Amino acid sequence: MLLIVVSVCTATGAWNWLIDPETQKVSFLTSLWNHPFFTISCITLIGLFFAGIHKRVVAPSIIAARCRTILAEYNMSCDDTGKLILKPRPHVQ
């Protein structure tokens, strides 16, 4: 949730930064100084990525996929909420 909020803030700040006519007339650092919302949200977003928040977003789906792979060997599965689904046994003739 935090990643989504900071990403939206960064995108909004970037849009305001880019449409500002003063951005083209002043230096890069002055432009960033004139748009503190974008600067702070961008620094926060970079900090979150250095802290490893992108791994926390991807990790649950990897764990669920690995669990489904193991459960498939025993004719079982699970849904997204974690409920175990028992599949019928295959008939060997």
Side-chain angles (χ1 to χ4, degrees):
M1 188 67 175
L2 179 65
L3 182 61
I4 293 171
V5 171
V6 175
S7 297
V8 169
C9 289
T10 303
T12 305
W15 176 255
N16 290 332
W17 182 54
L18 290 172
I19 64 170
D20 185 14
E22 289 293 316
T23 301
Q24 299 174 3
K25 298 175 185 173
V26 296
S27 70
F28 178 70
L29 293 177
T30 306
S31 178
L32 290 177
W33 185 257
N34 291 338
H35 295 89
F37 181 73
F38 170 70
T39 306
I40 292 170
S41 61
C42 192
I43 290 170
T44 305
L45 185 63
I46 292 169
L48 286 173
F49 276 107
F50 277 128
I53 197 162
H54 60 286
K55 293 178 186 175
R56 293 187 179 140
V57 171
V58 176
S61 63
I62 293 172
I63 292 170
R66 289 181 182 168
C67 288
R68 286 187 182 115
T69 302
I70 298 299
L71 288 172
E73 294 179 13
Y74 299 100
N75 291 330
M76 294 185 247
S77 183
C78 65
D79 61 4
D80 292 333
T81 61
K83 283 187 174 180
L84 186 63
I85 301 169
L86 299 175
K87 296 180 180 178
R89 292 183 183 178
H91 298 304
V92 180
Q93 295 177 353

